[in-house]
Amino acid sequence: MKVRSLKLREAHKATSSNGRPSFCSVLWDQQAYHVVTASSADPTIAIHDSLLPSSPPKLLQHHRDGVTALALSPNSTCLASGSEDHSVKLYKFPGGEFQTNITRFTLPIRALAFNKSGTLLAAAGDDEGIKLINTVDGSISRVLKGHKGSVTGLAFDPHSEYLASIDSTGTVIYWELQSGTTLHTLKGIAPNSGFDRSIMNVLSWSPDGNKLAVPGLRNDVVVYDRDTAEKLFSLRGDHTQPICFLAWSPNGKYMATSGLDMQVLIWDVDQKQDIDRHKFDERICCLAWKPIGNALAVIDCTGKYGVWESVTPSSMKSPTEDVPNQKLNNSNGLLLFDEEEGEELSTSGSLSDLGEDSHGESEPPSRKRLHKHSAYDNDLEEDGFDDLSLLPKVESHKKARRKHSESADNGKGGVSSKLTSVRPKMQVAFQPGATPLQPGKRRFLCYNMLGAITTIEHDGFSHIEIDFHDTSRGPRVPSMNDHFGFTMASLNKNGSVFANPSKGEKNMSTLMYRPFRSWANNSEWSMRLEGEEVKVVALGTAWVAAITSLNFLRIFTDGGLQRRVLSLDGPVVTASGFMDELAIVTHASECLPSDEQMLEYRVLNITNGSQPLRGRLPLTPGSHLTWFGFSEEGQLSSYDSKGVLRVFTSQYGGSWLPLFSASKEKSDENYWVVGLNASKLFCIVCKSPDLYPQVIPKPVLTPLNFSFPLASSDLGADALENEFMLNNMHLVQVQKQIEVAGAGLDTTSLDDEAFNTEAAQDRCILKLIASCCNGDKLVRATELVKLLSMEKSVRGAIKLVTVLKLPNLAERFNNILEERLLNESKRALETTLLNSNCNASSITNDIAPSKTIFSTEQSKLPGNDIPLSSSKLSAPLFTKKAKIQEAKVAIEKTEEKQAAMVADLGKVKTTEGKNGAKLNNAGDMKKVGETSQPQSPAPSNDQEKVKKAEVTRRASNPFMKKLIK
């Protein structure tokens, strides 16, 4: 291949003050009338006339130090420059009139970029953070933080959805502009330029916006997918040293690259090979394709620039032929200054660099908003308001102007179709426990409380491994070679399921299931889907589920039988399985203008074909769902990008309890959720800005305590209040499990667990009462004492307030205790008389501890709307704990006292009738101990024995002992 030569002419200083090479910039305007150059060793910006190369350039001398970055608005009416003096300046173009210092940094600027419509300017450098500047009013729309090194390259994608950035360590980050969040972080994929500021890592979007080109680690260019950040291909040729700059041709067919080997290569991207090259005397640190014509502008590290004509052979397609339709108009959308000649401009003090030397400018430039900006309106309408969501100070168009634009474009579908892009972007489907693709690195396809599935690409296929956290319990699963390119997976104790998206007609979406154990050979099975692709997979007991792009829910048995195909009423977001239940999250509607996702959840029982739960999924405003699944006990749970964990409860007709908030932890760490149990959240802690864990080294599960996002109480006992709410939640969960278990099953362990929780809750309430007394919150203390479960706890509260010398409160506590004892005695008497009408054998069989022990669910104090805690649990609970005391009570009580107790309990008012004694209304019952009631008929000997036994059993209730004595 012929090596060509090109003569360059000097435009800036040769070297910097320390004698090192400088970084120089070059760019064309839209019509190719001018070439703009700058050097980090020269504070001057030069605007060259490309039609008259011999004429002297126009010089802009407003910076105090070298110019390190240039950017031109898409329609070439505004020029931005960044400098070593930490400022970013704006000029009119091509006139070069200085407009304003739009922002300042504390360290030098290294990169600038305009978005497609010109309404946003991204600026970054050695400082921490990328500033997104609203060029309409000069405000800072957002600051993006995530890089650990100097940001050296910025690029808005042509669709104005993403911003790509690269730093000096070779890390690339995809940013979503609507939310300002990190989509993908690709660490160390480009060369590390270190502290050499004459070498800048750069990156560039293809003109159609589908690919991102980045210098690679093997003296090549690596091209990544727009949405998934997957490596698509690389361009590798005769560069013998790393590539330091690259640029796509206007039509995206070619690419120009310059390397540290002082060569510039021209690539045919489709053929993935270089078609021409040029050897220079110095390193070319920047180059730019001519927007009109077959030429390339270059500038080397000594400040010399030139234009390489006829870059591509005449036999090949021109670099400007078939350019993607990125329509621009005559307005750049900048309202910072008038476009009318001679009009004065005003400056906002908050946006100018106060005290900065203006270099001869007698008055600060002004910023006057245009009253006539129809061109700007049209520009935004043509761009679909892509960036208005980032500009809070920009008002939307007037309805009249919008209607006029719609009528003007009637039949073309221009405005009406593009207005839909105003809405925030709906969240894409994701697999719980999966991490994004990182080229050359192993990633998680699934990570849960049981184990992990990892994959890594190798020589055209992937290598998948399955590991269990507890190697002594989980089966040993051999690794497998994946030729399908699986991107999602799910894992349970019985098997694993894999799926991949479709990649054309020859590579359809495939679903594959691998059981871990089977009595038959060849039990593995797969399904291929034509015309649709799998979005999410889930596993349960003897079933496999896959949700596809056609909103189909496909249910298979673990043997591969196709059982159900259901249609969902929205695009899927994620899904998770637990035993017989499948939980699915779908989009309920478009996002709200406030960038809130509208999601809906539903739980299906695969075994009986029912849908026990369905409703709207709550999220923190401005967040998106990052994890969804079941706890180890089967409770539905979710975690969003704002760090809030929610657990579903059947209370209040079905509600979600916020049990954890990462913001309360007050750390710069990110929590990647793996799962949870009844008391802990298990996650992997990732150091900011990392959002996902690395496979190697093996991540460590970190348990975190649940904590309600409580308000800051005037009591100063946040930990106790949190414990109080968690205990209540735990009691409700145990109660639900006891109800589900039914009467025929042994619930001893659950009863014991509930008793221990109730005892702990009483201790917590007593501590809260003490805090209330110390804080003079006596009403709150009275509310708390009503929630105590045991008599000895209430007596302990009375003793506590007595010691604290609060006699009025002690009297109230005594009254509460007496009322509770009285109510319990009434219920005991009613139960006794009802049982007396039954025969002795049936009574003996029907006596249940739950009917004779004080139940906090049924006891509610008169005139008080606060029910006692631990509903429905105390009755069976305390009976089981009291069984140990029954023998002691029987020994201690003499036969005479037992007879007296039977006599006292039998003395109630009755009405005469044929059937003997009947119980009057509760209102006719006299106080305990009065014996003026008529006697009921004498019971039989068997009945007397039963009553004696029953009273003896009741004596174990601490709340009944007071009455019996």
Side-chain angles (χ1 to χ4, degrees), residues 432-654:
T435 57
L437 174 68
Q438 293 182 324
K441 294 184 178 181
R442 187 174 290 275
R443 58 172 290 218
F444 289 113
L445 291 180
C446 175
Y447 195 108
N448 58 26
M449 297 291 286
L450 181 66
I453 302 177
T454 60
T455 182
I456 186 171
E457 185 178 354
H458 178 72
D459 291 338
F461 63 90
S462 297
H463 185 72
I464 292 180
E465 293 183 357
I466 300 177
D467 298 302
F468 292 90
H469 303 319
D470 188 352
T471 56
S472 63
R473 297 179 59 186
R476 292 185 177 272
V477 182
S479 61
M480 74 172 187
N481 292 328
D482 166 28
H483 297 277
F484 295 96
F486 293 130
T487 60
M488 63 199 87
S490 185
L491 171 72
N492 67 7
K493 63 181 181 180
N494 298 321
S496 57
V497 61
F498 303 87
N500 67 312
S502 61
K503 296 181 180 179
E505 296 180 357
K506 296 183 179 179
N507 191 1
M508 293 186 292
S509 185
T510 302
L511 178 74
M512 187 178 77
Y513 177 72
R514 293 184 70 196
F516 295 144
R517 298 184 181 92
S518 178
W519 60 269
N521 295 327
N522 197 25
S523 55
E524 178 183 303
W525 55 265
S526 63
M527 302 282 174
R528 303 187 70 187
L529 305 178
E530 186 174 358
E532 60 183 317
E533 62 180 2
V534 178
K535 293 293 186 181
V536 178
V537 293
L539 280 178
T541 302
W543 56 265
V544 178
I547 305 172
T548 70
S549 56
L550 297 183
N551 298 342
F552 285 165
L553 167 59
R554 297 182 176 272
I555 301 173
F556 308 83
T557 65
D558 55 359
L561 179 64
Q562 303 189 50
R563 290 294 306 274
R564 298 283 188 274
V565 180
L566 307 177
S567 286
L568 302 177
D569 52 5
V572 67
V573 178
T574 191
S576 182
F578 178 80
M579 300 180 68
D580 294 334
E581 293 185 330
L582 169 65
I584 305 171
V585 178
T586 58
H587 286 283
S589 66
E590 297 271 352
C591 300
L592 296 180
S594 58
D595 196 19
E596 292 185 50
Q597 302 285 331
M598 302 300 291
L599 306 182
E600 183 179 65
Y601 71 92
R602 71 190 71 192
V603 177
L604 307 178
N605 190 300
I606 303 300
T607 301
N608 58 31
S610 63
Q611 181 176 280
L613 294 176
R614 180 170 181 174
R616 192 62 59 85
L617 183 69
L619 291 174
T620 305
S623 70
H624 57 274
L625 188 65
T626 58
W627 181 85
F628 184 75
F630 292 89
S631 70
E632 290 188 340
E633 293 75 24
Q635 279 197 290
L636 196 61
S637 311
S638 71
Y639 189 81
D640 62 33
S641 59
K642 296 290 186 181
V644 177
L645 173 76
R646 294 176 177 87
V647 174
F648 181 82
T649 175
S650 58
Q651 291 179 301
Y652 303 103

Side-chain angles (χ1 to χ4, degrees), residues 157-315:
D157 90 284
H159 302 295
S160 295
E161 293 180 0
Y162 306 142
L163 171 70
S165 58
I166 188 172
D167 61 26
S168 58
T169 66
T171 296
V172 174
I173 298 181
Y174 281 51
W175 306 91
E176 187 180 46
L177 292 177
Q178 289 286 355
S179 61
T181 58
T182 301
L183 288 180
H184 307 288
T185 300
L186 310 179
K187 290 187 176 182
I189 64 171
N192 189 332
S193 60
F195 297 98
D196 187 354
R197 297 309 181 196
S198 68
I199 302 173
M200 306 279 274
N201 272 334
V202 295
L203 74 179
S204 179
W205 292 97
S206 60
D208 62 5
N210 293 331
K211 297 178 285 291
L212 179 68
V214 181
L217 299 174
R218 300 180 178 180
N219 307 333
D220 58 350
V221 176
V222 183
V223 180
Y224 297 91
D225 182 76
R226 161 192 169 80
D227 295 311
T228 65
E230 296 181 357
K231 177 181 176 181
L232 299 178
F233 57 87
S234 61
L235 303 178
R236 190 172 184 182
D238 290 338
H239 276 300
T240 58
Q241 295 187 48
I243 291 173
C244 58
F245 203 90
L246 55 87
W248 294 86
S249 65
N251 62 0
K253 179 174 175 56
Y254 307 102
M255 183 184 295
T257 60
S258 65
L260 300 182
D261 56 4
M262 303 179 190
Q263 287 190 102
V264 172
L265 268 60
I266 309 299
W267 302 81
D268 185 327
V269 178
D270 295 333
Q271 300 297 325
K272 301 179 181 58
Q273 63 180 11
D274 57 296
I275 58 175
D276 205 349
R277 74 188 64 176
H278 203 306
K279 183 75 173 180
F280 292 86
D281 297 329
E282 297 289 345
R283 181 180 75 246
I284 300 298
C285 50
C286 190
L287 44 83
W289 288 89
K290 189 174 183 179
I292 302 175
N294 184 10
L296 187 72
V298 298
I299 189 168
D300 66 17
C301 59
T302 66
K304 295 180 181 179
Y305 92 104
V307 177
W308 178 1
E309 300 287 350
S310 303
V311 178
T312 61
S314 58
S315 59

Side-chain angles (χ1 to χ4, degrees), residues 720 723-724 727 759-769:
L720 286 175
E723 181 185 351
F724 169 75
N727 286 337
Q761 180 72 320
D762 275 11
R763 290 193 294 270
C764 178
I765 291 175
L766 287 173
K767 293 177 183 178
L768 281 172
I769 291 174

